[in-house]
């Protein structure tokens, strides 16, 4: 059965672009069930019709896409959320509202196809779960964690979730928490990155003082601008600019900064992989 897709974007050309790309997506098969030019219009549409997947912009007049996602969290069977936006800086906030994927414009067909496959898998899992339980991508409530037997145990909404180390794309320190990122979910825990590093079973390389990356998840190592790079450079060197070495992460297409002092180690790890 084809996935029923609702496109939510205030720009008509953006909706047309997505409709064209969806026409070329064959696995899973999709049906554009409707379009909405605002979050309010999307809510009105969803009040009477069903969508399996929402392709959702963030910046829109009135309610933005993140606020719409918050409104939908109370639904017993909510649609899978795939954000499609020109603003990569909102990725973490999107995962916190349990988005399945986060695509940046201009969207490539292959990347959209990948997101739809992930959404189909999520919907299948949701159909087997009790109505009160949500899966998908999202930030777990901070809690104690420990790694053993190839997993990291995270407290997620009062439950203990076993996150296999093999599924981790990266671990990145953010303020007082560490973000654990898999292809399906993003978790926040309050354990120091240095302690987590000691418990990893290998296969990870430190790319920066605030980030560990699974070697198998590195799609590319290139000089690239990174949105959260400090104005003084990746290592605080006033002579550097905001463009430096970075790794591209598979599944998410994110770029994480690689510090100069870690560059040789990262290259060696990639060559040995």
């Amino acid at each position: 059965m084809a996935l029923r897709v609702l496109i939510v974007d205030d720009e008509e050309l953006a909706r047309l672009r997505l409709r064209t790309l969806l026409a070329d997506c064959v696995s899973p098969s999709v049906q554009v069930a409707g379009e909405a030019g605002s979050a309010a219009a999307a809510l009105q549409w969803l009040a009477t019709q069903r969508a399996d997947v929402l392709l959702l912009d963030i910046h829109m007049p009135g309610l933005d896409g993140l606020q719409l996602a918050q409104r939908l969290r109370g639904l017993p069977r909510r649609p899978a959320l795939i954000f499609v936006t020109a603003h990569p800086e909102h990725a973490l906030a999107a995962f916190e509202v349990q988005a399945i994927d986060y695509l940046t414009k201009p969207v490539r067909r292959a990347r959209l196809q990948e997101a739809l496959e992930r959404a189909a898998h999520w919907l299948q899992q949701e159909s087997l779960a009790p109505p009160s339980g949500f899966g998908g991508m999202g930030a777990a409530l901070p809690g104690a964690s420990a790694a053993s037997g190839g997993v990291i145990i995270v407290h997620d909404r009062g439950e203990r979730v076993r996150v296999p180390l093999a599924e981790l794309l990266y671990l990145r320190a953010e303020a007082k928490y560490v973000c654990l990122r898999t292809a399906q979910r993003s978790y926040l825990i309050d354990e120091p990155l240095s302690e987590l590093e000691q418990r990893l079973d290998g296969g990870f390389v430190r790319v920066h003082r605030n980030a560990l990356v699974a070697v198998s998840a590195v799609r590319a190592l290139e000089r690239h601008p990174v949105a959260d790079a400090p104005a003084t450079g990746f290592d605080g060197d006033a002579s550097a600019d905001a463009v430096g070495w970075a790794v591209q992460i598979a599944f998410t297409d994110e770029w994480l900064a690689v510090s100069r002092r870690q560059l040789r180690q990262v290259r060696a790890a990639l060559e040995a992989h």
Side-chain angles (χ1 to χ4, degrees), residues 223-236:
R223 290 187 62 82
H224 192 275
V226 179
D228 59 357
T232 54
F234 290 107
D235 288 316

Side-chain angles (χ1 to χ4, degrees), residues 9-10 25 28 57 75-76 99 137 166-167 171 176-177 184 194 202 207 215 245 262 271-272:
D9 196 306
D10 63 313
C25 293
D57 192 15
L75 296 179
M137 186 177 295
E167 295 184 5
L171 302 85
K176 61 181 295 188
Y177 301 115
Q184 291 77 33
S194 58
V207 299
V215 177
W245 287 99
Q262 299 296 140
E271 290 172 359

Side-chain angles (χ1 to χ4, degrees), residues 207-221:
V207 299
H208 197 278
R209 61 179 177 272
N210 71 343
L212 297 163
V213 172
V215 177
S216 61
V218 176
R219 179 174 289 165
L221 170 65

Side-chain angles (χ1 to χ4, degrees), residues 33 49 66 85 96 113 116 203 235 246 264 271:
Q49 302 185 66
L66 293 171
T85 176
E96 288 175 348
Q113 180 77 70
L116 291 170
D235 288 316
R264 180 178 297 179
E271 290 172 359

